[in-house]
Amino acid sequence: MAMRSFGAIAAREGSRRRREAAQKKKKAEREVKSLLKRYDSNNSGVLEKDQIVKFLTDLDDGGKGVPPTDGEIKWVLKQAGSADENLDPDEILPAVQAWQTYKQNSSFIEAVFQKFDTDKNGKLDRDQLKLLLQELDDGNEPTEAEVDWVLQCADEQDGDKDHAIDKTELMYAISLWFTHVDEKRSSACCIL
């Protein structure tokens, strides 16, 4: 009897979860249709570059209406999984999520660049990145290989191969570094 009760409970729970997932999907589809209706001014079924600029400018959470840079647009397209310079309907919500996360971290990103981008060119070169990584690791200096690894991973992630960290790459680079430092510390504990 207990097994039948469990089976019935599991079936009801599975059914409830499927309904919730279907409702979420329908809500997301309505959001995408609404966004396309608002920004797809030529009714092409996708958001093109000028439409993406307007779309992201309107999403700017500070209400400042600051248009995204070309680099930020490129980054949003990549994060959304776009294979071209447009946002297809299935790429719009991932683009929203990427842009909002980026903008939520903008004051932190600006503070890092204010401190470490000493030549004010909008990128952290190898030496500037090394100082940032050292500060993030409580003063422990990263090896040359570690700095090169972070730069290489960031270049592979955004595809620009410039051997520098721009604002859109910063959070990714920091996440890589923290994960690496944590792994290094946990493996050092095991060796002792």
Side-chain angles (χ1 to χ4, degrees), residues 113-154:
F113 272 78
Q114 184 68 32
K115 181 172 183 175
F116 293 97
D117 182 18
T118 54
D119 56 6
K120 305 300 180 207
N121 70 352
K123 293 182 180 249
L124 299 181
D125 64 28
R126 191 178 191 294
D127 293 334
Q128 294 163 338
L129 176 63
K130 185 174 183 177
L131 292 172
L132 169 62
L133 298 178
Q134 182 173 346
E135 184 168 304
L136 292 172
D137 192 16
D138 300 323
N140 297 313
E141 187 174 337
T143 66
E144 300 301 314
E146 290 172 324
V147 177
D148 289 340
W149 173 75
V150 171
L151 283 169
Q152 179 185 355
C153 289

Side-chain angles (χ1 to χ4, degrees), residues 6-25:
F6 176 76
I9 292 170
R12 280 193 304 273
E13 182 64 17
S15 179
R16 182 188 64 79
R17 288 182 183 203
R18 282 190 300 279
R19 279 192 311 277
E20 285 176 4
Q23 289 170 347
K24 271 185 166 179
K25 183 178 179 184

Side-chain angles (χ1 to χ4, degrees), residues 75 78-79 101-102 105 108-109 113 129 132-133 136 149-159 164-180:
W75 178 81
K78 181 158 181 68
Q79 298 307 306
T101 300
Y102 175 69
N105 290 291
F108 170 73
I109 292 168
F113 272 78
L129 176 63
L132 169 62
L133 298 178
L136 292 172
W149 173 75
V150 171
L151 283 169
Q152 179 185 355
C153 289
D155 278 349
E156 287 172 4
Q157 197 263 346
D158 82 345
I165 303 294
D166 66 26
K167 291 178 181 180
T168 62
E169 296 169 309
L170 182 64
M171 298 307 292
Y172 179 70
I174 289 173
S175 295
L176 282 172
W177 183 244
F178 281 148
T179 300
H180 174 70

Side-chain angles (χ1 to χ4, degrees), residues 19-123:
R19 279 192 311 277
E20 285 176 4
Q23 289 170 347
K24 271 185 166 179
K25 183 178 179 184
K26 284 184 181 185
K27 182 180 178 190
E29 288 169 353
R30 285 192 304 271
E31 288 178 38
V32 168
K33 282 182 185 177
S34 173
L35 290 169
L36 277 172
K37 184 176 181 179
R38 181 171 179 190
Y39 294 100
D40 182 17
S41 55
N42 61 357
N43 296 316
S44 64
V46 300
L47 295 183
E48 297 162 4
K49 186 174 180 181
D50 61 321
Q51 299 161 344
I52 295 169
V53 169
K54 173 102 175 86
F55 169 59
L56 296 179
T57 301
D58 289 351
L59 279 177
D60 189 349
D61 64 341
K64 303 170 206 150
V66 178
T69 66
D70 286 342
E72 289 170 333
I73 292 169
K74 178 183 170 187
W75 178 81
V76 166
L77 289 168
K78 181 158 181 68
Q79 298 307 306
S82 178
D84 53 26
E85 294 185 358
N86 302 318
L87 284 174
D88 297 333
D90 62 330
E91 298 164 348
I92 291 175
L93 292 180
V96 169
Q97 184 178 15
W99 184 246
Q100 288 177 333
T101 300
Y102 175 69
K103 295 305 282 185
Q104 287 168 356
N105 290 291
S106 64
S107 57
F108 170 73
I109 292 168
E110 290 301 323
V112 167
F113 272 78
Q114 184 68 32
K115 181 172 183 175
F116 293 97
D117 182 18
T118 54
D119 56 6
K120 305 300 180 207
N121 70 352
K123 293 182 180 249

